[in-house]
């Protein structure tokens, strides 16, 4: 796979899956715009790693739940890096609680960050990609968006929404050679899974046929394929990286 000459914008790329995607695409030749909302220092560390690989990297601090900030982020990417060929929507949060205890703000904030952001970024980026008649949009959902999970009604709704949104947009943009696909990770070793207690981890592991958590690189490898010409006949697909949980 070869991404030389391509520019990728990755939201929530200062750590975890987003950071792994940024590094993987850079190793294949892409220049990277790293979005972060708060921890700019971590984002700068990732950018420096990419620069050491020999690729260009910029950090754009923006709240992707805010439309104006997203539009400026896309404009900045194109202005500073010269193009926008790949968009990976990875930013996401959890605010877990049982439904009867869930606060309205926890519902709204998760939907705004996880789902509204995908609408804003995809709309802004696709305007440019349509003119180029080329682009890749990869939206990170979750197995929870298919299976649901106790205490995560807000998160499940946001991730399920990403899937329906992506399939619709894939149909709209296909004639312009803009491909839209979804990656649905299972349980990946990130800050989110690290917060689980021992009992929770044991229960989850028992439901994974491969009997291990995935790594951010497992998701990044698929993101790289979906970003490349090798995936030119794939659009509107939901691909699980889950160790077999969704079989």
């Amino acid at each position: 796979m070869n991404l030389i000459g391509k520019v990728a914008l990755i939201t929530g790329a200062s750590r975890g899956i987003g950071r792994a995607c940024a590094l993987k695409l850079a190793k294949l030749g892409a220049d990277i715009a790293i979005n972060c909302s708060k921890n700019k220092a971590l984002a700068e560390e990732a950018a420096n790693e990419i620069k050491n690989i020999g690729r260009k990297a910029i950090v754009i601090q923006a709240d992707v739940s805010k439309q104006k900030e997203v539009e400026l982020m896309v404009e900045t990417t194109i202005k500073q890096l010269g193009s926008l060929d790949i968009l990976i929507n990875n930013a996401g949060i959890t605010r877990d609680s049982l439904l009867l205890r869930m606060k309205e703000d926890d519902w709204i904030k998760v939907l705004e960050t996880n789902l509204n952001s995908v609408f804003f970024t995809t709309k802004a980026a696709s305007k440019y990609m349509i003119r180029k008649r080329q682009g890749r949009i990869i939206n990170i959902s979750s197995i929870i968006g298919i299976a649901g999970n106790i205490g995560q009604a807000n998160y499940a709704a946001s991730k399920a929404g990403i899937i329906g949104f992506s399939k619709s947009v894939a149909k709209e943009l296909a004639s312009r050679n803009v491909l839209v696909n979804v990656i649905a990770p299972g349980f990946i070793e990130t800050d989110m899974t690290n917060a689980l207690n021992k009992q929770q981890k044991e229960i989850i592991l028992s439901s994974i046929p491969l009997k291990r958590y995935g790594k951010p690189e497992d998701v990044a490898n698929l993101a790289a394929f979906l970003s490349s010409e090798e995936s030119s006949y794939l659009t509107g697909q939901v691909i699980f990286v889950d160790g077999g949980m969704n079989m």
Side-chain angles (χ1 to χ4, degrees), residues 91 125 183:
I183 299 176

Side-chain angles (χ1 to χ4, degrees), residues 63-78:
D63 181 346
V64 290
S65 70
K66 308 296 183 185
Q67 185 171 7
K68 294 298 183 183
E69 292 190 34
V70 166
E71 290 172 349
L72 181 59
M73 175 177 69
V74 170
E75 291 171 9
T76 301
T77 299
I78 296 167

Side-chain angles (χ1 to χ4, degrees), residues 51-66:
K51 291 173 184 176
N52 289 335
I53 294 170
R55 306 312 310 169
K56 295 178 182 176
I58 61 173
V59 172
I60 306 174
Q61 192 166 10
D63 181 346
V64 290
S65 70
K66 308 296 183 185

Side-chain angles (χ1 to χ4, degrees), residues 159-179:
K159 294 301 186 177
I162 287 173
I163 292 172
F165 172 84
S166 300
K167 286 181 173 289
S168 298
V169 174
K171 291 182 177 181
E172 292 182 19
L173 301 182
S175 64
R176 297 296 187 269
N177 195 35
V178 178
L179 311 184

